[in-house]
Amino acid sequence: MEIETLRHSISHVLAAAVKELYPTVKFGIGPAIEDGFYYDFQFLSPISDSDLPKIQKKMVEIIKRNDKFIHEIVTKEKAKAIFKDQKYKLELISDLAKEDQKISIYHLGNFTDLCKGPHIKSASEIPNGCFQLIKLAGAYWKGSEQNAMLTRIYGIAMESKTALDKYQKQLEEAKRRDHRILGEKLELYLIDDEVGAGLPIWMPKGEALIKAIERYLYEELRKAGYKWLKSPHIANIQLWKTSGHWGFYRENMYSPIQVDEEQYMIKPMNCPFHIKVYNKKIRSYKELPIKYAELGTVYRYEKSGVLHGLNRVRGFTQDDAHIYCTPEQLEKELLSTLKLGIKMLKDFGFKNYDIYLSTKPEDKHVGSDEIWVKATKALESALKALKLKYSVDVGGGAFYGPKIDIKIKDSIGRPWQCTTIQADFNLPDRFKMEYIDKNGQRQEPIMIHRALLGSIERFVGVLIEHYAGAFPLWLAPEQMWVLPISKANNKYAKEVFEELNNNGFRVELKDEDETIGKKIREAEIQKIPYMIVLGDKETKSKKISARDRNTKKTSTLSLKSFIKNSKELIDNKK
Amino acid sequence: MEIETLRHSISHVLAAAVKELYPTVKFGIGPAIEDGFYYDFQFLSPISDSDLPKIQKKMVEIIKRNDKFIHEIVTKEKAKAIFKDQKYKLELISDLAKEDQKISIYHLGNFTDLCKGPHIKSASEIPNGCFQLIKLAGAYWKGSEQNAMLTRIYGIAMESKTALDKYQKQLEEAKRRDHRILGEKLELYLIDDEVGAGLPIWMPKGEALIKAIERYLYEELRKAGYKWLKSPHIANIQLWKTSGHWGFYRENMYSPIQVDEEQYMIKPMNCPFHIKVYNKKIRSYKELPIKYAELGTVYRYEKSGVLHGLNRVRGFTQDDAHIYCTPEQLEKELLSTLKLGIKMLKDFGFKNYDIYLSTKPEDKHVGSDEIWVKATKALESALKALKLKYSVDVGGGAFYGPKIDIKIKDSIGRPWQCTTIQADFNLPDRFKMEYIDKNGQRQEPIMIHRALLGSIERFVGVLIEHYAGAFPLWLAPEQMWVLPISKANNKYAKEVFEELNNNGFRVELKDEDETIGKKIREAEIQKIPYMIVLGDKETKSKKISARDRNTKKTSTLSLKSFIKNSKELIDNKK
């Protein structure tokens, strides 16, 4: 049995139950959806969430009756007679153009629905406890504001009670980890109406987190031979015409800014700027590969309805880089890029992925078959060399080249699209990029686009949910709090704070006039990795007591040892 | 004798000399300017730079004749008769509205000019060798493209030959240090027509330099209790209406971007975003002062004609910060801000400044007299506490508060406006900012705007010219080059490179197949602080020979010692 069929059949059971409880109800539609089903109704008098248990109970009754799903094909005329009291069903029947159209209907006991099916054979096939009504919502008939507002009842349904229980736990866990809720509670970022939707402002703690990520990226890429660039956020429209974005990417771009006689666009991508740096002088094969990186903040249009916390925004910072190389260098560069990407994800605590290799689209593409084969093979070799499992998305590449995408799985198993590594046979041609080869001939380099974390905003959203806000020491926005037990310990606490602060730690001194209990509770809520509690004993012995968030154990040691240990943890990305 | 009078009189000598050499010449005007003078002429047939020595020689002759400057007041009618062959002078006379206007003229030997004066008494007062004709340029009569193009002869003039020699040396030195020339030669940044005027792209070496500055700022401010923020580059127009920028700063802002039904503006300032973070929750006096910092890239309209390298651009990154404090905290905060600013300038190698305190404008201002007096006194106290000399610019403050501006002087004595510290009594009111005081009452905090380096772009421009591109180790984009003498040393060179690279240095391995002589010359041109030359001796002994750019001395030592010494230099901002 297909899970969609099961969900669809349960929606009919829901409709049947509602009909028995509310005989005057009018029916809209009731499809299967991603994790369950819904059905739209028009009630004579409104119902509320508190009515759901009663409806669910009636559904269980109906299932026990073991009614059959009976399929029938009728004439349009007969269908109109059957649904004569159901105005929405009549509307659906009228929408069918042909007068001699055959109409498919399904009976379940006394309930009959206009429906193409398929369905299960009998209500008894529905596993015990495999579904749950969850909520009511308003929904316009046919999704149009011009029409009546119906009442939608949502349910979730899985193939068994066990699967449903697991899914519900996961939902609760996901809710507990929701980055929008934690982002607010931990004061990481804010989105303000007057500033604009989809434009997060990083608050101090969020900024500290992204700065830790930025520093990590900066050093890792520097060591790997990348050179960092920094480009402006606006550029003349001419640049986007040359790059082709004005032609094929315009719907994602914002409207032009008029500057004197010229138009400027806010950038949706960093690539053209990096090419300008490459093209600043004539390049020799001896210089290649050239690797340019930028944490470039780009702005892309998204409809306001799809904006979602940090995951879907209108301005975001890519950990963008471009590698320019010869065809001979392609395989080696793709391998080292993929290797670096996997290492980075591991450093951030992600060890499971779904990897996709996307190949040449059938219809529209640029570049010779030869180079497509070469690049696709190079991507495949890199995956094989690192013994990574992957799926092939045949024809799923961009028009300008094949690519590897990686979806990381977070601590509760959800996949998130992050890494992308793409060959590009288009832009080098558009910008007339060249290098002089061994024989003194002009050649076109291959360009690799790669973002290993993707968007910093989105990646932080994922990180928040992955760690449920309890970040490892190296990433924690506030790494340690210094907590004097009483006023008598304030002076020593200040000394300890200064020493930690000067050692580069993100440390806070909490010497305000509050009870130590309250301060400790606050540190727990804020998920601070280390609480450094200083009482008379510590003040006298010039030691510190450090409570570890993860082990919940307290160690008394010298400040020097604590600093040494902490630096080691940070160096090891713990 | 006023220097302007001297320069103006020399311009008459120039005109007299030109008249003797080119009797058919028509005269335009000839004022004193910042470092000398010019005179505009219309020649029958064009002259060139090669004619300047001849003209200068004639000027010296005229000075030796010891002709007097004779002042005369004549009627308009008589003036028209005197200048009957000089169409531009006639036009100037006609421009004078009243028919009975008295006209001031000056005679010098046979040359007579329409001129208000004053002048020196006699040409012999002009000190020997105190002036120099320097160049020709085209200039439209009355500055309008509608009019004829005249030939402008520029000269520089100082109070003595010694002063002129000194000034000419300084000009040469300034040219040698020009950041636009060095920026190109050292590959620090590029400005590209297709991207747009005034929008620099930082190339790898420029980016490394600004990253070094950013890291320094980040740590210094973190240690000083600032919290870093990051805000988007666009915001809804509503924000700029609330802030007042739409009202009083619009001419500096770019045109709006249309997003769905709303208008968005690219930001000219960061302040409103920081206020949004402050206003995210109710603040207690216990939390104050709150200090928010951002390296915020802002975009402001500048006419294309005034754009100049990194000094005058259309997009720049401010080392921006805002301090929110109680009136009681104001003096202490201003003092620590000023202290930090002076320390930073010193760390970057600047020790001389011109400091200006600007006070309440007479006409337009907001805020009570009481708060103006308090803030102005607090700024003054800070200057006095640090024993800094300053000038008072009476009435020169912004309408929203008094301020301190610092112009740093570079290694050849030129002043550059960088630091600004401003009190603001306006924005807290506009955004209804509040804190709860000791008595539970709502109060408005005072806001301090401060940028200590100013704009990073401009500051880098100044740094380039200050150091003539020879940056100290801690700032140098490439700190050291590893140079194997022959192929036999390449393996060891690679080891040395890896070790330095992993130790966080910005190091380059130059193992391409070139002579060591050529590599060394290139390192000298690029002003690399250390060349690490590795020959057979070094390879065998596992030591290195490091040549210091500044002392030009080479030391042979262990790699470990070199790393230790270099880290120490960097820590000490050397």
Side-chain angles (χ1 to χ4, degrees), chain B residues 190-400:
Chain B
L190 67 87
I191 291 179
D192 180 275
D193 283 345
E194 207 176 24
V195 171
L199 296 171
I201 304 177
W202 292 101
M203 295 175 73
K205 291 174 68 183
E207 209 283 339
L209 172 57
I210 59 174
K211 188 61 74 185
I213 297 172
E214 282 179 19
R215 283 196 183 180
Y216 166 81
L217 289 172
Y218 192 88
E219 273 308 295
E220 287 296 320
L221 267 59
R222 189 192 60 73
K223 283 186 206 161
Y226 285 78
K227 301 292 178 188
W228 287 86
L229 306 179
K230 192 164 183 164
S231 60
H233 301 90
I234 57 174
N236 199 301
I237 197 166
Q238 186 50 51
L239 184 73
W240 308 106
K241 287 180 179 170
T242 301
S243 71
H245 290 100
W246 181 247
F248 63 76
Y249 201 70
R250 199 187 311 184
E251 67 200 33
N252 303 96
M253 293 169 74
Y254 288 100
S255 67
I257 297 167
Q258 191 70 33
V259 182
D260 298 334
E261 305 303 306
E262 294 168 323
Q263 291 192 309
Y264 280 70
M265 309 295 296
I266 193 157
K267 69 174 171 183
M269 293 201 183
N270 304 302
C271 335
F273 300 95
H274 293 199
I275 293 174
K276 285 288 175 187
V277 175
Y278 179 99
N279 278 354
K280 183 71 171 68
K281 59 179 185 180
I282 293 166
R283 304 291 176 175
S284 151
Y285 72 96
K286 289 182 196 169
E287 288 175 79
L288 301 188
I290 286 176
K291 307 180 191 185
Y292 289 147
E294 178 171 14
L295 285 164
T297 304
V298 296
Y299 291 84
R300 296 181 188 172
Y301 177 70
E302 296 276 2
K303 287 189 180 154
S304 62
V306 301
L307 298 172
H308 181 92
L310 294 170
N311 288 356
R312 201 76 174 266
V313 290
R314 282 179 169 164
F316 60 94
T317 302
Q318 291 182 299
D319 69 318
D320 206 359
H322 299 95
I323 299 168
Y324 308 100
C325 65
T326 68
E328 296 74 43
Q329 293 169 331
L330 186 61
E331 186 164 336
K332 189 174 165 229
E333 289 309 313
L334 288 172
L335 175 60
S336 67
T337 304
L338 186 60
K339 205 167 168 181
L340 181 62
I342 298 287
K343 177 209 181 291
M344 281 192 181
L345 297 181
K346 188 163 165 260
D347 281 345
F348 283 103
F350 300 103
K351 283 162 202 158
N352 298 308
Y353 335 95
D354 291 328
I355 304 183
Y356 302 88
L357 170 65
S358 302
T359 63
K360 191 173 75 174
E362 268 309 304
D363 42 355
K364 202 186 155 201
H365 59 264
V366 299
S368 68
D369 279 354
E370 185 196 359
I371 192 70
W372 272 91
V373 169
K374 191 177 180 79
T376 310
K377 274 197 179 159
L379 287 168
E380 242 178 331
S381 305
L383 289 164
K384 284 180 180 156
L386 298 177
K387 296 190 172 62
L388 295 165
K389 279 187 193 164
Y390 63 95
S391 316
V392 179
D393 179 4
V394 178
F399 77 88
Y400 50 75

Side-chain angles (χ1 to χ4, degrees), chain A residues 184 187 189-197 199-205 207-208 210-212 214-215 218-219 222-225 227-239 242 254-260 262 264 266 272-274 276-277 280-281 283 286 292 295 297 299 301-304 314 317 431 478 497-498 500-508 512-514, chain B residues 184 187 189-197 199-205 207-208 210-212 214-215 218-219 222-225 227-239 242 254-260 262 264 266 272-274 276-277 280-281 283 286 292 295 297 299 301-304 314 317 431 478 497-498 500-508 512-514:
Chain A
E184 177 88 20
E187 298 183 2
Y189 71 97
L190 68 87
I191 292 179
D192 180 274
D193 283 345
E194 207 176 23
V195 171
L199 296 172
I201 303 177
W202 292 101
M203 295 174 74
K205 291 173 69 183
E207 209 283 340
I210 60 174
K211 188 62 73 186
E214 283 179 18
R215 284 197 183 178
Y218 192 88
E219 274 308 295
R222 189 191 60 74
K223 283 187 206 162
K227 300 292 179 188
W228 287 87
L229 306 179
K230 192 162 183 166
S231 59
H233 301 90
I234 56 174
N236 199 301
I237 197 167
Q238 186 51 50
L239 184 73
T242 302
Y254 288 100
S255 68
I257 298 167
Q258 191 71 32
V259 182
D260 298 334
E262 295 168 322
Y264 280 71
I266 193 158
F273 300 95
H274 293 199
K276 285 287 173 186
V277 176
K280 183 70 171 69
K281 59 178 185 182
R283 304 290 177 177
K286 289 181 195 170
Y292 289 148
L295 285 163
T297 304
Y299 291 84
Y301 177 70
E302 298 274 3
K303 287 190 180 153
S304 62
R314 283 180 168 164
T317 302
F431 280 97
E478 292 178 359
F497 165 78
E498 292 290 354
L500 291 168
N501 196 33
N502 286 330
N503 267 276
F505 294 109
R506 298 185 289 271
V507 56
E508 297 290 318
E512 63 272 19
D513 199 7
E514 291 288 358
Chain B
E184 178 87 21
E187 299 182 1
Y189 71 97
L190 67 87
I191 291 179
D192 180 275
D193 283 345
E194 207 176 24
V195 171
L199 296 171
I201 304 177
W202 292 101
M203 295 175 73
K205 291 174 68 183
E207 209 283 339
I210 59 174
K211 188 61 74 185
E214 282 179 19
R215 283 196 183 180
Y218 192 88
E219 273 308 295
R222 189 192 60 73
K223 283 186 206 161
K227 301 292 178 188
W228 287 86
L229 306 179
K230 192 164 183 164
S231 60
H233 301 90
I234 57 174
N236 199 301
I237 197 166
Q238 186 50 51
L239 184 73
T242 301
Y254 288 100
S255 67
I257 297 167
Q258 191 70 33
V259 182
D260 298 334
E262 294 168 323
Y264 280 70
I266 193 157
F273 300 95
H274 293 199
K276 285 288 175 187
V277 175
K280 183 71 171 68
K281 59 179 185 180
R283 304 291 176 175
K286 289 182 196 169
Y292 289 147
L295 285 164
T297 304
Y299 291 84
Y301 177 70
E302 296 276 2
K303 287 189 180 154
S304 62
R314 282 179 169 164
T317 302
F431 281 97
E478 293 177 358
F497 166 79
E498 292 290 355
L500 291 168
N501 196 33
N502 287 330
N503 267 275
F505 294 109
R506 299 184 289 272
V507 57
E508 296 290 318
E512 63 272 18
D513 199 7
E514 291 288 357

Side-chain angles (χ1 to χ4, degrees), chain A residues 282-416:
Chain A
I282 294 166
R283 304 290 177 177
S284 152
Y285 72 95
K286 289 181 195 170
E287 288 176 80
L288 302 188
I290 286 176
K291 307 181 192 185
Y292 289 148
E294 179 171 14
L295 285 163
T297 304
V298 297
Y299 291 84
R300 296 182 188 170
Y301 177 70
E302 298 274 3
K303 287 190 180 153
S304 62
V306 302
L307 298 173
H308 180 92
L310 294 170
N311 288 356
R312 202 78 173 264
V313 290
R314 283 180 168 164
F316 59 95
T317 302
Q318 291 183 299
D319 69 319
D320 205 359
H322 298 95
I323 300 168
Y324 308 100
C325 64
T326 67
E328 298 74 45
Q329 293 169 331
L330 186 60
E331 186 166 334
K332 190 174 163 226
E333 288 310 313
L334 287 173
L335 175 60
S336 67
T337 304
L338 186 59
K339 206 168 167 179
L340 181 63
I342 297 288
K343 177 206 182 293
M344 280 191 182
L345 297 181
K346 189 163 165 260
D347 281 345
F348 283 103
F350 300 104
K351 282 161 203 160
N352 299 307
Y353 335 94
D354 291 328
I355 304 183
Y356 302 88
L357 170 65
S358 303
T359 63
K360 191 174 75 174
E362 269 308 305
D363 42 355
K364 202 186 155 201
H365 58 264
V366 298
S368 68
D369 279 356
E370 186 195 359
I371 191 70
W372 272 92
V373 168
K374 192 178 180 78
T376 309
K377 274 197 178 160
L379 286 168
E380 243 179 329
S381 305
L383 289 164
K384 283 179 181 157
L386 297 178
K387 298 190 171 60
L388 294 166
K389 279 188 193 164
Y390 62 96
S391 317
V392 179
D393 180 3
V394 178
F399 77 89
Y400 50 76
K403 62 175 179 170
I404 289 174
D405 290 320
I406 304 182
K407 291 188 184 181
I408 53 177
K409 284 191 182 159
D410 72 10
S411 57
I412 59 170
R414 295 169 300 175
W416 300 90

